[in-house]
């Protein structure tokens, strides 16, 4: 089973009438949680705060799965949301040990009955996708700032493999973004978010402690979430992560607009302009760093530049279009970029500039309505960042100090 630093909880199933969360011991020393267990600190804190208890036999069962009912009960204990009556309930919960708490979680805005038209099915293991939506919905119910964050991230770039591989539903973008932007949840080592995966009690302890803290803070206090919101609304995180300034216009003014190559060989659009601040290699900043940057990319003059990763779509229009046509397009240094040569395009599932047989790679896109969708790398000088980029309709994006 994959291990995360963020997720939720799980418990062994007893009888349908007895809550599996309400055991008889409050011990913070459990036979199955050693001092070296990765989640021991969080488990101890979660138990000490009364979020859930251990078992009568002195165990915590850190690897047990969490069900929908259990997660709802635990959310009810941690949440400080006010209840709003009349939000509905579930017919299949009548007499269930979790009925009261599940209804309270519905009233607090975490859970929407219409999401489960065939019943709540309380013993079903909870997925990470559900978890993300429940917690995001609860935060958004309590705070207009979190609610706005969900709106702002509808069109963002989500830093997980499912986004780039297009296996994540667009409806999930805001919920996953809110989780990752606040640090409530993160991805797996393979770059995926794992929306269909379930979680354990140990992971639950970590996320319970985090949720208790996050709900006390504003959405604007999380830099990662601010980046995701900015990318969703303007196409770039430049104004969040750097002290660079826009000229009279911003990237939003040129985003997704066509620019013709000056050599007449094609055109392109830029959709996203993402910064990773690696000036201090021991303190790299930016929620997208793991998507684009590896330690092998370190360069000697790192402190002089901001790294930029651009999403471009190239539309070749001439026969035998190749790499040189792109490099000699005359569009300037803000546009003409380089291939990302580490292993991350393969890991996350995005494409970069073709460096082997580029003419063959471009061939199927010649005069095609569907262009070559790629991510490329570039850089901006820290001290002399004065660069402009113009699209064919006269729109301009300028960067100043």
């Amino acid at each position: 089973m994959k291990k995360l630093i963020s997720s939720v909880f799980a418990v062994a199933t007893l009888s349908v009438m007895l809550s599996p969360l309400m055991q008889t011991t409050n011990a913070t020393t459990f036979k199955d949680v050693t001092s070296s267990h990765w989640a021991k600190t969080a488990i101890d804190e979660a138990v000490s705060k009364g979020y859930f208890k251990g078992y009568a036999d002195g165990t915590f069962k850190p690897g047990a799965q969490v069900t929908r009912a259990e997660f709802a009960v635990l959310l009810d204990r941690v949440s400080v949301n006010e209840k709003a009556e009349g939000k509905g309930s579930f017919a299949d919960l009548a007499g269930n040990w979790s009925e009261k708490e599940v209804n309270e979680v519905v009233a607090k805005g975490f859970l929407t009955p219409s999401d489960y038209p065939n019943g709540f099915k309380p013993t079903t293991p909870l997925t990470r996708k559900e978890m993300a939506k429940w917690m995001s919905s609860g935060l958004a119910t309590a705070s207009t700032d979190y609610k706005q964050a969900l709106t702002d991230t509808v069109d963002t770039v989500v830093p997980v493999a499912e986004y780039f591989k297009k296996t994540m539903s667009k409806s999930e973008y805001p919920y996953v973004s809110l989780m990752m932007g606040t640090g409530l949840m993160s991805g797996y080592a393979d770059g995926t978010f794992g929306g269909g995966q379930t979680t354990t009690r140990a992971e639950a302890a970590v996320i319970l402690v985090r949720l208790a803290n996050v709900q006390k803070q504003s959405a604007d206090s999380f830099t990662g979430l601010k980046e995701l919101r900015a990318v969703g609304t303007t196409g770039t995180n430049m104004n969040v992560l750097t002290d660079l300034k826009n000229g009279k216009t911003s990237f939003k003014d040129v985003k997704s607009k066509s620019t013709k190559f000056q050599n007449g060989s094609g055109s392109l659009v830029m959709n996203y302009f993402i910064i990773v601040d690696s000036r201090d290699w021991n303190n790299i900043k930016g929620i997208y760093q793991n998507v684009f940057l590896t330690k092998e990319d370190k360069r000697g003059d790192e402190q002089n530049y901001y790294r930029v990763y651009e999403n471009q779509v190239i539309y070749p229009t001439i026969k035998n279009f190749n790499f040189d046509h792109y490099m000699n397009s005359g569009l300037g240094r803000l546009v003409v970029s380089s291939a990302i040569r580490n292993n991350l395009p393969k890991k996350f599932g995005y494409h970069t500039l073709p460096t082997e047989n580029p003419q063959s790679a471009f061939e199927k896109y010649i005069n095609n309505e569907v262009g070559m969708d790629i991510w490329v790398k570039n850089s901006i000088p820290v001290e002399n960042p004065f660069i402009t980029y113009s699209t064919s309709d006269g729109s301009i994006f300028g960067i100043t100090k």
Side-chain angles (χ1 to χ4, degrees):
M1 181 181 293
K2 297 176 181 177
K3 185 183 294 182
L4 297 192
I5 284 186
S6 56
S7 302
V8 270
F9 11 120
V11 228
T13 303
L14 300 181
S15 72
V16 293
M17 295 303 294
L18 176 64
S19 163
L21 298 176
M22 295 299 292
Q23 301 304 316
T24 59
T25 178
N26 283 312
T28 55
T29 300
F30 301 104
K31 293 186 293 186
D32 53 355
V33 182
T34 65
S35 60
S36 61
H37 192 283
W38 68 274
K40 177 173 171 52
T41 300
I43 290 171
D44 289 347
E45 184 173 352
V47 171
S48 69
K49 290 184 176 179
Y51 300 153
F52 55 88
K53 301 180 181 181
Y55 287 82
D57 62 359
T59 63
F60 184 78
K61 294 182 172 57
Q65 281 187 330
V66 178
T67 67
R68 288 173 179 169
E70 293 160 357
F71 185 52
V73 171
L74 290 165
L75 274 182
D76 188 42
R77 293 176 183 171
V78 176
S79 171
V80 295
N81 286 20
E82 296 181 0
K83 292 185 288 186
E85 302 302 328
K87 289 201 171 188
S89 59
F90 299 96
D92 63 341
L93 278 180
N96 187 272
W97 68 271
S98 66
E99 181 181 12
K100 176 179 178 294
E101 290 86 351
V102 172
N103 287 337
E104 287 185 355
V105 168
V106 170
K108 290 179 177 181
F110 287 89
L111 185 54
T112 304
S114 61
D115 286 344
Y116 299 92
N118 298 317
F120 186 62
K121 300 179 180 178
T123 60
T124 302
L126 185 81
T127 66
R128 284 170 52 80
K129 182 192 305 186
E130 290 176 295
M131 182 194 320
K133 185 172 184 179
W134 289 15
M135 289 191 292
S136 296
S137 298
L139 288 169
T141 298
S143 164
T144 56
D145 197 15
Y146 282 111
K147 184 177 181 180
Q148 184 61 47
L150 292 180
T151 299
D152 291 344
T153 50
V154 166
D155 292 311
T156 198
V157 175
V158 189
V160 293
E162 293 94 334
Y163 169 86
F164 295 98
K165 294 178 180 179
K166 303 187 187 306
T167 58
M168 175 182 286
S169 167
K170 191 170 181 178
S171 64
E172 296 174 55
Y173 292 4
Y175 304 118
V176 176
S177 294
L178 190 54
M179 293 296 97
M180 299 192 73
T182 58
L184 274 171
M185 299 175 72
S186 61
Y188 289 106
D190 64 0
T192 64
F193 180 72
Q197 299 286 339
T198 56
T199 51
T200 66
R201 277 172 63 90
E203 293 164 349
V206 174
I207 207 162
L208 280 170
V209 171
R210 289 178 176 175
L211 180 59
N213 291 324
V214 168
Q215 65 186 352
K216 299 174 185 177
Q217 302 176 62
S218 70
D220 201 46
S221 66
F222 297 97
T223 301
L225 184 55
K226 289 173 69 175
E227 287 185 71
L228 291 164
R229 294 174 71 173
V231 170
T233 54
T234 68
T236 181
N237 60 347
M238 185 182 79
N239 300 119
V240 175
L241 211 59
T242 79
D243 59 359
L244 300 177
K245 297 179 174 60
N246 300 318
K248 294 182 179 179
T249 54
S250 68
F251 182 77
K252 186 176 181 180
D253 293 293
V254 300
K255 175 176 162 49
S256 304
K257 292 185 177 180
S258 179
T259 305
K260 291 183 178 180
F261 292 3
Q262 293 180 16
N263 59 20
S265 64
S267 64
L268 64 70
V269 299
M270 278 210 298
N271 294 316
Y272 295 103
F273 188 82
I274 290 177
I275 305 285
V276 174
D277 182 1
S278 59
R279 292 175 299 163
D280 179 356
W281 197 257
N282 295 317
N283 184 29
I284 299 174
K285 299 175 182 177
I287 198 168
Y288 294 99
Q289 59 178 283
N290 293 332
V291 176
F292 299 116
L293 188 63
T294 68
K295 60 183 179 181
E296 288 78 19
D297 297 318
K298 186 177 181 181
R299 47 194 272 185
D301 57 351
E302 201 76 47
Q303 69 277 7
N304 298 324
Y305 296 89
Y306 290 113
R307 291 178 180 267
V308 181
Y309 298 91
E310 303 172 9
N311 176 225
Q312 300 180 354
V313 184
I314 299 174
Y315 299 89
T317 57
I318 64 170
K319 188 177 181 180
N320 299 323
F321 183 96
N322 59 44
F323 188 73
D324 289 338
H325 290 104
Y326 171 80
M327 296 303 295
N328 297 311
S329 62
L331 299 187
R333 70 174 307 280
L334 193 65
V335 178
V336 178
S337 304
S338 304
I340 299 171
R341 294 179 178 271
N342 54 40
N343 69 331
L344 295 178
K346 181 178 180 180
K347 177 179 179 178
F348 281 87
Y350 58 83
H351 299 287
T352 189
L353 270 174
T355 55
E356 296 182 7
N357 301 316
Q359 185 170 312
S360 176
F362 281 113
E363 186 174 5
K364 67 178 180 180
Y365 297 103
I366 295 174
N367 292 315
N368 193 327
E369 290 183 359
V370 178
M372 177 182 280
D373 192 326
I374 58 174
W375 285 89
V376 292
K377 66 177 181 180
N378 208 326
S379 61
I380 303 174
V382 173
E383 296 302 326
N384 188 27
F386 304 100
I387 309 171
T388 59
Y389 161 58
S390 301
T391 57
S392 294
D393 70 352
S395 301
I396 298 175
F397 168 44
I399 300 175
T400 65
K401 184 68 174 176

